[in-house]
Amino acid sequence: MKLLLTSGGVTNPSIHSALVQLLGKPIAECRALLIPTAQWGHPMCGPTSVRGFVAADPASDWRYHSGLGWASLGVLELTALPTIGAERWIPWVREADVFLVDGGDATYLCHWMRESGLADLLPSLTDKVWVGVSAGSMVMTPRIGDYFVEWPAAPDDRTLGVVDFSIFPHLNLFPTNTPADAERWAAGLGVPAYAIDEQTAIKVVDGSVEVISEGQWTKFG
């Protein structure tokens, strides 16, 4: 699977160009599945924010993700998948061009990716593109650090480990997301890590990692 791991979405021309390159065709010709699941695991998210993401509200920051002008939008709610059977939902996944995976709590998202069976399916989805925002990007890393765990039932900070580096999102967006905070976070991880702001994305194709940025980012380790 081709990955575009962002903090705030497709926020500038450089990231937009990288996305179109990954897709291999215009955004307006691509079928997208929205995955809002991570939101349910985070105390700052809920029905209103999920609705905004799914509705692709053009007056909100979702214009950088679900609101980019996709040919079609569908919702893949991972918590529902174990109850409906793989024979129903796997065709939906295979018909999509791109997965738009919203933020929230990455450990909650990781749990439901495994429980639903989507995590096991990922290696076969080589022609698909995964566009993550915040937790939707962090879930692909090996660890997120205790700093970002908000789901009370999380056993630890481990996530899927599809890539071999961790991500500190929203650099300088919040008072607790300063470069100094990111440096302290990275020191306890034991893996390479990137701190990225809202104007930065990390593109991963066949193990090759490229930072796409019109903003600020730092690599640790």
Side-chain angles (χ1 to χ4, degrees):
M1 179 175 278
K2 295 168 281 190
L3 309 178
L4 189 64
L5 307 177
T6 81
S7 176
V10 183
T11 52
N12 59 55
S14 297
I15 300 175
H16 190 280
S17 177
L19 173 58
V20 173
Q21 183 183 47
L22 290 175
L23 293 168
K25 56 184 175 181
I27 288 173
E29 296 178 10
C30 294
R31 297 161 296 182
L33 279 181
L34 311 182
I35 301 179
T37 305
Q39 289 208 37
W40 303 119
H42 198 288
M44 293 179 65
C45 303
T48 301
S49 58
V50 169
R51 186 262 177 202
F53 173 53
V54 171
D57 185 353
S60 73
D61 286 345
W62 284 293
R63 68 185 182 275
Y64 301 125
H65 201 207
S66 54
L68 288 170
W70 304 97
S72 67
L73 292 173
V75 177
L76 190 71
E77 176 46 66
L78 303 187
T79 61
L81 301 191
T83 66
I84 64 173
E87 68 279 0
R88 287 202 67 200
W89 66 264
I90 287 180
W92 303 338
V93 168
R94 296 207 181 278
E95 290 166 5
D97 297 300
V98 59
F99 304 101
L100 307 180
V101 191
D102 205 22
D105 187 277
T107 60
Y108 185 80
L109 176 58
C110 180
H111 171 81
W112 283 107
M113 286 184 68
R114 289 183 171 134
E115 286 291 308
S116 67
L118 181 59
D120 292 333
L121 195 64
L122 292 182
S124 71
L125 303 178
T126 55
D127 61 333
K128 311 300 182 186
V129 179
W130 181 281
V131 183
V133 162
S134 192
S137 298
M138 298 165 76
V139 73
M140 291 298 190
T141 71
R143 297 182 60 192
I144 64 170
D146 293 339
Y147 193 75
F148 289 108
V149 178
E150 296 284 355
W151 181 38
D156 50 44
D157 73 322
R158 289 178 294 178
T159 36
L160 294 176
V162 173
V163 299
D164 63 0
F165 56 85
S166 292
I167 295 174
F168 184 104
H170 310 306
L171 182 65
N172 290 322
L173 185 63
F174 306 116
T176 54
N177 283 47
T178 67
D181 294 316
E183 186 171 7
R184 286 191 293 270
W185 162 84
L189 290 178
V191 296
Y194 293 87
I196 62 174
D197 70 359
E198 306 306 279
Q199 300 298 320
T200 301
I202 303 172
K203 183 175 74 170
V204 184
V205 181
D206 295 330
S208 176
V209 178
E210 180 183 356
V211 177
I212 312 294
S213 183
E214 294 185 16
Q216 294 182 305
W217 62 279
T218 301
K219 184 179 181 183
F220 303 99

PDB file of all heavy atoms in Angstrom, residues 149-165:
ATOM      1  N   VAL A 149      -1.467   8.632  23.909  1.00  0.00           N
ATOM      2  CA  VAL A 149      -2.495   7.624  24.199  1.00  0.00           C
ATOM      3  C   VAL A 149      -3.620   8.261  25.009  1.00  0.00           C
ATOM      4  O   VAL A 149      -3.414   8.693  26.142  1.00  0.00           O
ATOM      5  CB  VAL A 149      -1.902   6.425  24.954  1.00  0.00           C
ATOM      6  CG1 VAL A 149      -3.012   5.420  25.289  1.00  0.00           C
ATOM      7  CG2 VAL A 149      -0.816   5.750  24.133  1.00  0.00           C
ATOM      8  N   GLU A 150      -4.818   8.311  24.430  1.00  0.00           N
ATOM      9  CA  GLU A 150      -5.986   8.883  25.096  1.00  0.00           C
ATOM     10  C   GLU A 150      -7.065   7.843  25.389  1.00  0.00           C
ATOM     11  O   GLU A 150      -7.956   8.091  26.180  1.00  0.00           O
ATOM     12  CB  GLU A 150      -6.599   9.998  24.232  1.00  0.00           C
ATOM     13  CG  GLU A 150      -5.702  11.199  24.002  1.00  0.00           C
ATOM     14  CD  GLU A 150      -5.627  12.113  25.215  1.00  0.00           C
ATOM     15  OE1 GLU A 150      -6.354  11.862  26.199  1.00  0.00           O
ATOM     16  OE2 GLU A 150      -4.852  13.080  25.178  1.00  0.00           O
ATOM     17  N   TRP A 151      -6.996   6.693  24.744  1.00  0.00           N
ATOM     18  CA  TRP A 151      -8.000   5.645  24.936  1.00  0.00           C
ATOM     19  C   TRP A 151      -7.701   4.904  26.239  1.00  0.00           C
ATOM     20  O   TRP A 151      -6.645   4.279  26.363  1.00  0.00           O
ATOM     21  CB  TRP A 151      -7.970   4.688  23.745  1.00  0.00           C
ATOM     22  CG  TRP A 151      -8.957   3.570  23.801  1.00  0.00           C
ATOM     23  CD1 TRP A 151     -10.228   3.624  24.260  1.00  0.00           C
ATOM     24  CD2 TRP A 151      -8.737   2.219  23.367  1.00  0.00           C
ATOM     25  NE1 TRP A 151     -10.835   2.404  24.139  1.00  0.00           N
ATOM     26  CE2 TRP A 151      -9.948   1.524  23.599  1.00  0.00           C
ATOM     27  CE3 TRP A 151      -7.665   1.543  22.803  1.00  0.00           C
ATOM     28  CZ2 TRP A 151     -10.088   0.164  23.284  1.00  0.00           C
ATOM     29  CZ3 TRP A 151      -7.807   0.200  22.482  1.00  0.00           C
ATOM     30  CH2 TRP A 151      -9.008  -0.470  22.725  1.00  0.00           C
ATOM     31  N   PRO A 152      -8.598   4.955  27.230  1.00  0.00           N
ATOM     32  CA  PRO A 152      -8.313   4.360  28.542  1.00  0.00           C
ATOM     33  C   PRO A 152      -8.039   2.859  28.494  1.00  0.00           C
ATOM     34  O   PRO A 152      -7.318   2.339  29.349  1.00  0.00           O
ATOM     35  CB  PRO A 152      -9.581   4.659  29.345  1.00  0.00           C
ATOM     36  CG  PRO A 152     -10.199   5.834  28.677  1.00  0.00           C
ATOM     37  CD  PRO A 152      -9.881   5.679  27.226  1.00  0.00           C
ATOM     38  N   ALA A 153      -8.592   2.164  27.518  1.00  0.00           N
ATOM     39  CA  ALA A 153      -8.417   0.708  27.447  1.00  0.00           C
ATOM     40  C   ALA A 153      -7.179   0.282  26.663  1.00  0.00           C
ATOM     41  O   ALA A 153      -6.948  -0.925  26.499  1.00  0.00           O
ATOM     42  CB  ALA A 153      -9.663   0.067  26.829  1.00  0.00           C
ATOM     43  N   ALA A 154      -6.397   1.228  26.191  1.00  0.00           N
ATOM     44  CA  ALA A 154      -5.208   0.865  25.418  1.00  0.00           C
ATOM     45  C   ALA A 154      -4.232   0.078  26.293  1.00  0.00           C
ATOM     46  O   ALA A 154      -3.869   0.541  27.381  1.00  0.00           O
ATOM     47  CB  ALA A 154      -4.531   2.116  24.876  1.00  0.00           C
ATOM     48  N   PRO A 155      -3.761  -1.087  25.850  1.00  0.00           N
ATOM     49  CA  PRO A 155      -2.823  -1.862  26.662  1.00  0.00           C
ATOM     50  C   PRO A 155      -1.442  -1.220  26.737  1.00  0.00           C
ATOM     51  O   PRO A 155      -0.712  -1.402  27.714  1.00  0.00           O
ATOM     52  CB  PRO A 155      -2.768  -3.220  25.953  1.00  0.00           C
ATOM     53  CG  PRO A 155      -3.159  -2.924  24.542  1.00  0.00           C
ATOM     54  CD  PRO A 155      -4.153  -1.798  24.620  1.00  0.00           C
ATOM     55  N   ASP A 156      -1.066  -0.497  25.706  1.00  0.00           N
ATOM     56  CA  ASP A 156       0.218   0.199  25.647  1.00  0.00           C
ATOM     57  C   ASP A 156       0.171   1.164  24.465  1.00  0.00           C
ATOM     58  O   ASP A 156      -0.914   1.440  23.947  1.00  0.00           O
ATOM     59  CB  ASP A 156       1.385  -0.793  25.515  1.00  0.00           C
ATOM     60  CG  ASP A 156       1.178  -1.804  24.400  1.00  0.00           C
ATOM     61  OD1 ASP A 156       0.734  -1.397  23.296  1.00  0.00           O
ATOM     62  OD2 ASP A 156       1.429  -3.002  24.609  1.00  0.00           O
ATOM     63  N   ASP A 157       1.326   1.662  24.047  1.00  0.00           N
ATOM     64  CA  ASP A 157       1.346   2.660  22.970  1.00  0.00           C
ATOM     65  C   ASP A 157       1.690   2.056  21.614  1.00  0.00           C
ATOM     66  O   ASP A 157       1.913   2.787  20.655  1.00  0.00           O
ATOM     67  CB  ASP A 157       2.345   3.771  23.307  1.00  0.00           C
ATOM     68  CG  ASP A 157       3.801   3.317  23.165  1.00  0.00           C
ATOM     69  OD1 ASP A 157       4.099   2.155  23.525  1.00  0.00           O
ATOM     70  OD2 ASP A 157       4.619   4.119  22.689  1.00  0.00           O
ATOM     71  N   ARG A 158       1.700   0.726  21.510  1.00  0.00           N
ATOM     72  CA  ARG A 158       2.098   0.096  20.247  1.00  0.00           C
ATOM     73  C   ARG A 158       0.988   0.172  19.205  1.00  0.00           C
ATOM     74  O   ARG A 158      -0.194   0.042  19.517  1.00  0.00           O
ATOM     75  CB  ARG A 158       2.495  -1.355  20.490  1.00  0.00           C
ATOM     76  CG  ARG A 158       3.823  -1.512  21.232  1.00  0.00           C
ATOM     77  CD  ARG A 158       4.147  -2.957  21.497  1.00  0.00           C
ATOM     78  NE  ARG A 158       3.190  -3.552  22.432  1.00  0.00           N
ATOM     79  CZ  ARG A 158       3.207  -4.830  22.812  1.00  0.00           C
ATOM     80  NH1 ARG A 158       4.116  -5.656  22.298  1.00  0.00           N
ATOM     81  NH2 ARG A 158       2.317  -5.281  23.666  1.00  0.00           N
ATOM     82  N   THR A 159       1.416   0.349  17.957  1.00  0.00           N
ATOM     83  CA  THR A 159       0.481   0.385  16.831  1.00  0.00           C
ATOM     84  C   THR A 159       0.951  -0.615  15.769  1.00  0.00           C
ATOM     85  O   THR A 159       1.632  -1.577  16.105  1.00  0.00           O
ATOM     86  CB  THR A 159       0.336   1.828  16.309  1.00  0.00           C
ATOM     87  OG1 THR A 159       1.601   2.516  16.391  1.00  0.00           O
ATOM     88  CG2 THR A 159      -0.650   2.613  17.188  1.00  0.00           C
ATOM     89  N   LEU A 160       0.570  -0.458  14.512  1.00  0.00           N
ATOM     90  CA  LEU A 160       0.709  -1.536  13.538  1.00  0.00           C
ATOM     91  C   LEU A 160       2.145  -1.827  13.098  1.00  0.00           C
ATOM     92  O   LEU A 160       2.456  -2.948  12.713  1.00  0.00           O
ATOM     93  CB  LEU A 160      -0.143  -1.229  12.300  1.00  0.00           C
ATOM     94  CG  LEU A 160      -1.654  -1.217  12.518  1.00  0.00           C
ATOM     95  CD1 LEU A 160      -2.354  -0.805  11.218  1.00  0.00           C
ATOM     96  CD2 LEU A 160      -2.165  -2.579  12.980  1.00  0.00           C
ATOM     97  N   GLY A 161       3.000  -0.829  13.068  1.00  0.00           N
ATOM     98  CA  GLY A 161       4.375  -1.061  12.641  1.00  0.00           C
ATOM     99  C   GLY A 161       4.532  -1.340  11.159  1.00  0.00           C
ATOM    100  O   GLY A 161       5.454  -2.043  10.750  1.00  0.00           O
ATOM    101  N   VAL A 162       3.657  -0.778  10.342  1.00  0.00           N
ATOM    102  CA  VAL A 162       3.794  -0.926   8.890  1.00  0.00           C
ATOM    103  C   VAL A 162       5.045  -0.194   8.407  1.00  0.00           C
ATOM    104  O   VAL A 162       5.739  -0.649   7.494  1.00  0.00           O
ATOM    105  CB  VAL A 162       2.531  -0.404   8.177  1.00  0.00           C
ATOM    106  CG1 VAL A 162       2.716  -0.374   6.665  1.00  0.00           C
ATOM    107  CG2 VAL A 162       1.320  -1.254   8.555  1.00  0.00           C
ATOM    108  N   VAL A 163       5.334   0.959   9.019  1.00  0.00           N
ATOM    109  CA  VAL A 163       6.588   1.676   8.772  1.00  0.00           C
ATOM    110  C   VAL A 163       7.464   1.531  10.016  1.00  0.00           C
ATOM    111  O   VAL A 163       6.993   1.108  11.076  1.00  0.00           O
ATOM    112  CB  VAL A 163       6.335   3.164   8.442  1.00  0.00           C
ATOM    113  CG1 VAL A 163       5.496   3.302   7.185  1.00  0.00           C
ATOM    114  CG2 VAL A 163       5.657   3.882   9.613  1.00  0.00           C
ATOM    115  N   ASP A 164       8.728   1.883   9.897  1.00  0.00           N
ATOM    116  CA  ASP A 164       9.667   1.664  11.009  1.00  0.00           C
ATOM    117  C   ASP A 164      10.009   2.942  11.767  1.00  0.00           C
ATOM    118  O   ASP A 164      11.000   2.980  12.496  1.00  0.00           O
ATOM    119  CB  ASP A 164      10.941   0.987  10.508  1.00  0.00           C
ATOM    120  CG  ASP A 164      11.719   1.835   9.497  1.00  0.00           C
ATOM    121  OD1 ASP A 164      11.271   2.958   9.179  1.00  0.00           O
ATOM    122  OD2 ASP A 164      12.779   1.362   9.033  1.00  0.00           O
ATOM    123  N   PHE A 165       9.193   3.975  11.604  1.00  0.00           N
ATOM    124  CA  PHE A 165       9.422   5.234  12.308  1.00  0.00           C
ATOM    125  C   PHE A 165       8.124   5.697  12.966  1.00  0.00           C
ATOM    126  O   PHE A 165       7.038   5.262  12.589  1.00  0.00           O
ATOM    127  CB  PHE A 165       9.924   6.315  11.340  1.00  0.00           C
ATOM    128  CG  PHE A 165       9.009   6.551  10.161  1.00  0.00           C
ATOM    129  CD1 PHE A 165       7.923   7.415  10.257  1.00  0.00           C
ATOM    130  CD2 PHE A 165       9.246   5.915   8.945  1.00  0.00           C
ATOM    131  CE1 PHE A 165       7.079   7.627   9.172  1.00  0.00           C
ATOM    132  CE2 PHE A 165       8.413   6.127   7.858  1.00  0.00           C
ATOM    133  CZ  PHE A 165       7.321   6.976   7.975  1.00  0.00           C
TER     134      PHE A 165
END
